[in-house]
Amino acid sequence: MSNRWIACDWGTSSLRVWAMDGAEVLDSAQSGRGMGTLTPGEFPEALAELLTPDWHGPVIACGMVGARQGWVEAPYASVPCSALPEGLTRAPGDRDVYIIPGVSQDSPADVMRGEETQVAGFLALNPGWDGILCLPGTHTKWVHVSAGEIVSFKTVMSGEVFALLTKQSVLRHSMKDDWDDETFAAAVADTLSRPERLISDLFALRAGDLLHNQPHARSRLSGLLIGAELAATRAYWLGQQVAVIGADALSRAYVAALGAQGAPATQAKGDAVTLAGLTAAWRRWKDPK
Amino acid sequence: MSNRWIACDWGTSSLRVWAMDGAEVLDSAQSGRGMGTLTPGEFPEALAELLTPDWHGPVIACGMVGARQGWVEAPYASVPCSALPEGLTRAPGDRDVYIIPGVSQDSPADVMRGEETQVAGFLALNPGWDGILCLPGTHTKWVHVSAGEIVSFKTVMSGEVFALLTKQSVLRHSMKDDWDDETFAAAVADTLSRPERLISDLFALRAGDLLHNQPHARSRLSGLLIGAELAATRAYWLGQQVAVIGADALSRAYVAALGAQGAPATQAKGDAVTLAGLTAAWRRWKDPK
């Protein structure tokens, strides 16, 4: 029986696919045709345009492709649950496309789609690991993992707020590419100790630039927001084993911020864990227990 | 000597003018040609298109028209200073256009342009008033006024953050026109007592809608942000006499939020105080001491 299959990570803003033979990557491709850019009818063609005739086997997909506004809604599994919940949803169409369920939490209300597959991949690569996984991004997830299950999680929109403020707000006029680690660290400490100041510290970035040519506004804004995030998630990371999974530069910023708070965190690559999670889902699809 | 003049409130997103005879309004006009939409060379024409031949006299202007990116930069006066600082800046061109200085604060760095004229107008209408003026808007100003002077002030970008989150972020999918006063009040209390939760409470608005069809997301978001603002400005309003100046609905929300914290605030109309401030500036221009 063939071990050929296609791994697919389909988020809001991008689509990535890998031609696989078991756990081996044969080829890969990507496009900007994320869920957010597509109507339901456009999904089959957006996928097909990335695949060549020598890509074989079923497609195992995770991410926003399974949202209500996606190709087909894949129901949520509810915590506590396996990071790789049972039951794939087949997308309508000729090709065999199976979508991994997202995970929801009833109270406090929260949802994830895609990150559960990264959690499953991290656990596949680190069997028996217990602790907190932090997955920074547009919507950063903090996930409490124990005995192979997702126990609880919390989403923080710090990445989206950072993007809106740096690109669309009045602060955009003061954003330069002059990153400074010390400014970042001081800002993290500022909002961690005085989180109530965040909302009034924002405009000071603009005024400090206008009046005093104050540099490093981007580093300070990033630090203020990550400090606020750490203040909001203290119950998650304090005294816990923490691993940060994501893009390299952003992950390093989180590891540095946590380390300064006496919370040493390890770092794992986002791509590797996504692929490991999709591979675990494919194995179970191929050989259900 | 003629008492004819033209009052002008020229902000980032709009331009408003009044034909005046002393303190009497003869006519008015407005357009969307705010400073943010204009290059420096376009200011004379944007003003001229609103004036008819029977509008006479000098133009007294306040607001972002005097910013570095405006018609001509009007230097800041520095606190502590009169709400109506000495010295108007004449704009280049054939028409007599005089711009009122903005006000700056060295530390913590802060700036205002336009609100100082509203403060001056409020003081002209309420001579001898001491206390805190709150001017809600895109960039809300909290101004400590004593003995006719601006002593200190603080800008909070809560209005701009609210606009970005409701219009551009993932939360926009959950914003409906179902305002609810109780939800607003509870949210104000939430971030006032636990400001560190703000950044993680945001995504819960989306998840609560997705999972539980939770209503009133807009009211709750507004309350969370105004609660955060009140937490950041507590040193300003606690135990002080407070007046809120601005658009009616937004001002009422601030008055309600402050009232629930045992800080009764009065409300004043933004238009009236702007015109009173411009009139005070015109009087001094006409009859310098």
Side-chain angles (χ1 to χ4, degrees):
Chain A
M1 184 174 172
S2 165
N3 278 333
R4 295 291 296 272
W5 62 290
I6 296 167
C8 174
D9 176 17
W10 207 329
T12 301
S13 56
S14 71
L15 164 59
R16 295 185 309 162
V17 289
W18 296 264
M20 305 292 294
D21 185 356
E24 187 193 350
V25 176
L26 304 177
D27 198 358
S28 69
Q30 57 184 307
S31 78
R33 303 186 72 182
M35 178 278 279
T37 72
L38 301 170
T39 62
E42 294 171 336
F43 283 85
E45 190 266 329
L47 176 63
E49 75 173 12
L50 288 184
L51 310 182
T52 54
D54 57 330
W55 288 43
H56 300 299
V59 177
I60 308 289
C62 70
M64 293 298 283
V65 64
R68 203 173 297 170
Q69 309 90 330
W71 191 340
V72 62
E73 185 170 6
Y76 293 111
S78 187
V79 295
C81 63
S82 163
L84 201 64
E86 294 288 339
L88 302 176
T89 299
R90 192 183 184 285
D94 296 336
R95 190 185 295 270
D96 276 336
V97 176
Y98 299 98
I99 302 177
I100 297 174
V103 172
S104 68
Q105 177 174 279
D106 209 51
S107 177
D110 217 327
V111 292
M112 63 168 77
R113 280 198 187 277
E115 294 89 352
E116 75 295 325
T117 301
Q118 294 191 295
V119 172
F122 183 85
L123 291 176
L125 298 171
N126 302 273
W129 193 92
D130 275 10
I132 301 300
L133 293 178
C134 167
L135 300 98
T138 303
H139 297 160
T140 298
K141 306 287 178 185
W142 293 80
V143 186
H144 180 196
V145 172
S146 181
E149 292 208 325
I150 296 178
V151 177
S152 66
F153 65 102
K154 187 190 279 280
T155 302
V156 185
M157 286 176 55
S158 50
E160 184 163 15
V161 171
F162 181 75
L164 288 170
L165 289 175
T166 54
K167 290 177 192 162
Q168 314 245 28
S169 84
V170 70
L171 302 184
R172 70 186 186 280
H173 302 298
S174 296
M175 293 295 142
K176 294 164 191 99
D177 285 330
D178 57 348
W179 185 266
D180 182 69
D181 284 337
E182 272 180 45
T183 300
F184 171 80
V188 171
D190 280 357
T191 39
L192 246 170
S193 59
R194 303 294 300 267
E196 75 278 13
R197 292 194 181 169
L198 171 65
I199 193 90
S200 66
D201 278 351
L202 298 177
F203 189 75
L205 296 169
R206 178 66 183 143
D209 177 27
L210 277 173
L211 297 180
H212 310 311
N213 291 311
Q214 201 171 286
H216 312 314
R218 185 185 299 275
S219 313
R220 181 159 169 80
L221 177 59
S222 175
L224 289 175
L225 290 170
I226 291 178
E229 174 168 358
L230 293 190
T233 57
R234 202 187 294 264
Y236 270 75
W237 53 264
L238 196 66
Q240 297 289 322
Q241 177 169 231
V242 181
V244 179
I245 301 175
D248 195 45
L250 184 59
S251 293
R252 269 188 284 118
Y254 275 79
V255 169
L258 285 162
Q261 298 307 315
T266 54
Q267 199 180 328
K269 280 197 197 303
D271 280 10
V273 298
T274 301
L275 214 42
L278 289 166
T279 302
W282 167 76
R283 280 193 210 285
R284 198 169 60 191
W285 172 83
K286 186 167 190 290
D287 184 19
K289 298 271 154 49
Chain B
M1 185 174 170
S2 166
N3 278 331
R4 296 291 295 272
W5 63 290
I6 296 166
C8 174
D9 177 17
W10 207 328
T12 301
S13 55
S14 71
L15 164 59
R16 294 186 309 163
V17 289
W18 295 263
M20 305 291 293
D21 185 355
E24 188 193 351
V25 176
L26 303 178
D27 198 0
S28 69
Q30 57 184 307
S31 79
R33 302 186 73 183
M35 179 277 282
T37 72
L38 300 170
T39 61
E42 293 172 335
F43 284 84
E45 191 266 331
L47 176 62
E49 75 173 13
L50 287 184
L51 311 183
T52 53
D54 57 329
W55 288 43
H56 300 298
V59 177
I60 308 290
C62 69
M64 293 299 283
V65 63
R68 202 173 298 171
Q69 310 91 327
W71 191 340
V72 62
E73 185 170 5
Y76 293 112
S78 186
V79 296
C81 62
S82 163
L84 201 64
E86 293 288 338
L88 303 175
T89 299
R90 190 182 184 285
D94 294 337
R95 192 185 293 271
D96 275 336
V97 177
Y98 299 97
I99 302 176
I100 297 173
V103 172
S104 69
Q105 177 175 278
D106 209 52
S107 177
D110 216 326
V111 292
M112 64 167 77
R113 281 198 187 276
E115 293 90 351
E116 75 295 325
T117 301
Q118 295 192 294
V119 172
F122 183 84
L123 291 176
L125 298 171
N126 302 273
W129 193 91
D130 275 9
I132 301 299
L133 294 177
C134 167
L135 300 98
T138 304
H139 298 159
T140 298
K141 307 286 178 184
W142 293 80
V143 187
H144 180 196
V145 172
S146 181
E149 293 209 322
I150 296 178
V151 178
S152 66
F153 65 102
K154 188 191 277 281
T155 302
V156 184
M157 285 175 54
S158 50
E160 185 163 15
V161 171
F162 181 75
L164 288 170
L165 290 174
T166 53
K167 290 177 192 160
Q168 314 248 25
S169 84
V170 70
L171 302 184
R172 70 186 185 278
H173 303 298
S174 297
M175 294 295 142
K176 294 163 193 98
D177 285 329
D178 57 348
W179 185 267
D180 181 68
D181 284 337
E182 271 180 46
T183 301
F184 171 80
V188 170
D190 281 356
T191 40
L192 246 171
S193 59
R194 305 293 299 268
E196 74 278 11
R197 291 193 181 169
L198 171 64
I199 194 90
S200 66
D201 279 349
L202 298 176
F203 189 76
L205 296 169
R206 177 67 183 143
D209 177 28
L210 277 173
L211 297 180
H212 309 309
N213 291 312
Q214 199 171 287
H216 312 312
R218 184 185 299 275
S219 313
R220 181 159 169 81
L221 177 58
S222 176
L224 290 175
L225 290 171
I226 290 178
E229 174 168 358
L230 293 190
T233 57
R234 201 186 296 263
Y236 270 75
W237 54 263
L238 196 66
Q240 298 288 323
Q241 176 168 231
V242 181
V244 179
I245 301 174
D248 194 46
L250 184 59
S251 292
R252 268 189 285 119
Y254 275 80
V255 169
L258 284 162
Q261 298 307 314
T266 54
Q267 198 180 328
K269 281 198 197 303
D271 280 9
V273 298
T274 301
L275 213 43
L278 288 167
T279 303
W282 168 75
R283 280 193 210 284
R284 198 167 62 191
W285 171 84
K286 187 166 189 290
D287 184 19
K289 297 273 154 50

